[in-house]
Amino acid sequence: MAIFLTEHSRILVQGITGTEGARHTRRMVAAGSTVVAGVVPNRDGQRLDDIPIFGDVASAVAATGADVSVVFVPPRFAKAAVLEAVDASVPLTVVVTEGIPVHDSVEFVARARAAGVRIIGPNCPGLISPGQSNAGIIPADIAKRGRIGLVSKSGTLTYQLMHELRDFGFTSCVGIGGDPVAGTSHIDCLAAFEADPETDAIVLIGEIGGDAEERAAAFVRDHVTKPVVGYVAGFTAPPGRTMGHAGAIVSGSSGTAAAKKSALEAAGVAVGTTPTETAQLMRDLLAS
Amino acid sequence: MDLFEHQAHDLFALHDIPTGRRRVALTPAEAAAAAAAIGGKVVIKAQVKTGGRGKAGGVRLASSPDEAAHAAERILGMDIHGHTVHSVLVTDASEIVAEYYVALLLDRAAGGFLALLSGAGGMDIESAPPELLVRAPLDIDGGLTDGLALSLCADAGLPSEVAPVLTALWRLLRAEDATLVEINPLALLADGTIRALDGKITLDDNASFRHPQHAGLAAAAPADPREAAAARKHLNYVKLDGSVGVIGNGAGLVMSTLDVVAAAGEAHGGVTPANFLDIGGGASARVMADSLEIVLADPDVTAVLVNVFGGITACDAVADGILQAYWQLTDGGGPLRAPLIVRMDGNNAEKGRRMLVAAALPGVLTAETMDGAATLAAAMARQEAP
C-alpha cells in the first residue's frame, strides 16, 4: 500500500500543454505513472503525445475514469481550475501552482471539504509513491519503494531526505506545500501513514510559520504509534520576514522553529538539527 | 505586505469605515500645516510598521500648529524597535467614550477567516483576557452578514452601531485580498459616532496581479537596496546580519542552509548567514550569475555558500551554470571577491563536483555534504573577515 496515490491511480493533468505541464507530464509517464488525460479549455480533441486532451474536467473523468488531477494552471486561473476538479468529484487534486492568492485557496479548500474530496497544496511538489505512481514534480529516481513515509512543507528538503534515506526507500512522500492555507495537513498524512500497513516509520519536515507542526506534535502524542523523526527549518529566520514560501513567516513570538522543535520533542519525536542528522536518527531507529 | 497606519486609514475610508480628518507629514513644517488645516487639537503619530510606538514616545498631542511642528520634530527620525520614522500622521484628536477591538484575519490552522471582537480595545490584544474576546469563524461564501455582525456585537458587548463597521471590514478584506484587517481601537466618541482611530492591514502579495492600485502602497515602503535589486531580477532574497552569503534552491533547503551555517558558525567566532537567496527550480548560468552578483555586492559577505539539490535540474547543469557565471563575473580572470563553497547533492552530483574540481577555479571549493560545506564556509568567512 501507500497513501493517497497507488499503482492504480489514474492521473489527469490540468494545464497539460503549458511548458511545465507538458514537461512534468512526460516525467510522470516516464516514472511509470498512469496519465490518462489532459484538460485545457479550447483544446478538446487534441493530444499530448498519446494522452487525449479534454476541454473540461468532467468530460475527462467521464471518458477516462481519472481519479487524480494535477494542476499546473497559472495563479490567475488556478481557482477556476481547482473548483472544476472539485465539482467533478475528483477524489484527489494536487495543486502544484505557486503564487495563488490565499483568498482563492480558502475558497477551493472549503469547497473540497464540503464535497469530501482531498486537495494537496497549493504551492507544493505533489506526492510520489515510489515504484507505483508520481503526481507532481518530485524527481522519481531519488529513492526506491520502501517502508518510510514522509510529509513535508518543503520540496527540496523532501528531496534531500529522500536522497539521504534512499537505501531504505519510501511508501509515499507527500509535499503539502508552503502556503499559509493548505488542503492537506501534516496531521492528515500522519493519520494515513499510521493506518498504512506498509509504512513502518515517518519523517515529518516542517518550517517556520503558523502552528501546523505544534498541532502535528499533539496528534503524534495522542494517535501515532509508529516512530516519527522530525526536522524544522528556519531557526535563523528574522521575525516578520517571508522566507521564500508565502507561509514561512515568524509573526511576533508565534511560528518559531524553536517552538515547533520543542513541541515535537515533547511529543516523543526525535528532531534532528540538520537534514543529515535527521536521516541518521531514522537510520538508528530502523536499525534498532 | 503590511501597510502603514495612514494607508490603512485610506482603505478604511474607501470602504465606508469612518475615520478622522488626517494628513501625512514628512517634515515639522508639513505637520504644522496639517495641524492648521485640521484645526483644534491634533495627534501626531509616528508611521512605523511595528507595535509599541506609544510607549516609545512616537505618539504626541498638540494644541496648535507650533506644537505640532515641535512634536513632529521629536518623532521624525526616531528609531522604534529598529524602524526609523520617516513620516507622521496628523489627525484630529477626538473625545473618546469607549474603545473596542475588531479584526478579521486569516486563521491558518482552520484554513479560513476569523472575526475577533472585544470590548477591551486600545490594548495589546494578545494580553487581553480570553473571556473578553469573541472569536467566530467566517464562512468564505456566506461572509459576514448584517445579522451575524449584530449577533457578534451583542456577544462581545459592543453597541449595535459597530455592526456596519464589521460588514464593511469584511467587504474590504474580500475586495482588497487582505489577510488581516484590524481596528484597534475602534472608538465610540462623545458625539455618539464610531471611528477607527488606529488600524493594521496586511495584503496578500500573491494577489497583487489583480490589484494594480496596490503598487503605490508598496512603493511607499523603502526596501533594502539589495532586496530591491534582487526583486527586479525575480530572485527571492532576504538580507540578514551575518557574513556567509547563501544561495540555494527551494525555500526549505535555503532556510535549512542558513540554520546549518549558523550552527557551524558557533565554532568560528559566531559567524552567521548574510542572506537568504532562493533561486527556485532551475539554476541556469544567468540565474547563478545574477545571484552571485547580488550576494557579492553585500560588503558584509566574506564567503559564499552555494547549496543545491539537483532534482529536475541535474547537478552537472548547475555546475555548468556556476562555471559560466564565474567567467561572466570575473571576465575570465582572477578570483571572485570572496571564496565560493559549492555543495551539490542529488541527480548527477558526482559529475557536477568533478566538473568544478577539473576547472580548478581560484577561490572555488567543493564540499561533499551540507554540514561539511557549512563548516568550511564559516571557517572561510571568519578567515576572510576584515
Side-chain angles (χ1 to χ4, degrees), chain A residues 23-24 27 75-76 98-104 106-107 109-111 113 137-139 141-142 153-154 156-157 159-160 163-164 179-181 207-211 215 231-238 241-249 253 273-277, chain B residues 2 106-113 126 139-141 173-179 204-207 209-210 227 236-240 249-260 262-263 273 276 278 307-313 343 345-347 369-371:
Chain A
R23 180 177 175 213
H24 290 289
R27 297 184 66 91
R76 201 177 274 275
E98 177 174 9
I100 297 177
V102 74
H103 280 250
D104 294 0
V106 169
E107 280 186 55
V109 166
R111 185 92 68 98
R113 274 186 200 150
I137 65 171
I138 297 175
D141 52 2
I142 300 179
K153 282 182 178 174
S154 152
T156 35
L157 283 177
Y159 311 162
Q160 180 67 39
H163 180 71
E164 304 236 14
D179 269 8
V181 169
E207 64 189 31
I208 54 165
D211 67 348
R215 286 180 292 119
Y231 177 72
V232 181
F235 281 86
T236 42
R241 297 303 307 268
T242 303
M243 305 297 276
H245 286 155
I249 180 167
S253 58
T273 56
T274 69
T276 307
E277 191 189 307
Chain B
D2 296 336
L106 181 67
D107 178 356
R108 294 173 56 144
F113 291 97
E126 284 180 14
D139 178 66
I140 188 75
D141 297 313
L173 180 96
R174 293 291 281 150
E176 306 287 349
D177 271 302
T179 54
D204 179 9
D205 295 330
N206 279 354
F209 68 80
R210 57 190 177 203
E227 290 184 4
N236 215 326
Y237 173 94
V238 178
K239 171 84 177 97
L240 303 171
N249 64 336
L253 184 65
V254 181
M255 266 190 275
S256 168
T257 309
L258 302 182
D259 295 347
V260 175
F276 168 100
D278 174 13
N307 185 17
V308 172
F309 188 92
I312 291 149
T313 305
R343 174 268 180 183
D345 218 337
N347 196 351
T369 66
M370 187 160 152
D371 301 8

Side-chain angles (χ1 to χ4, degrees), chain A residues 213-266:
Chain A
E213 293 79 0
E214 285 87 338
R215 286 180 292 119
F219 185 86
V220 170
R221 188 191 57 218
D222 298 337
H223 302 288
V224 179
T225 59
K226 296 176 181 177
V228 181
V229 303
Y231 177 72
V232 181
F235 281 86
T236 42
R241 297 303 307 268
T242 303
M243 305 297 276
H245 286 155
I249 180 167
V250 172
S251 313
S253 58
S254 78
T256 65
K260 293 171 186 303
K261 180 172 191 262
S262 53
L264 287 166
E265 285 176 338

Side-chain angles (χ1 to χ4, degrees), chain B residues 148-170:
Chain B
L148 178 57
L150 278 169
S151 83
L152 289 175
C153 287
D155 290 349
L158 308 188
S160 58
E161 287 81 2
V162 172
V165 174
L166 279 180
T167 53
L169 263 188
W170 174 255

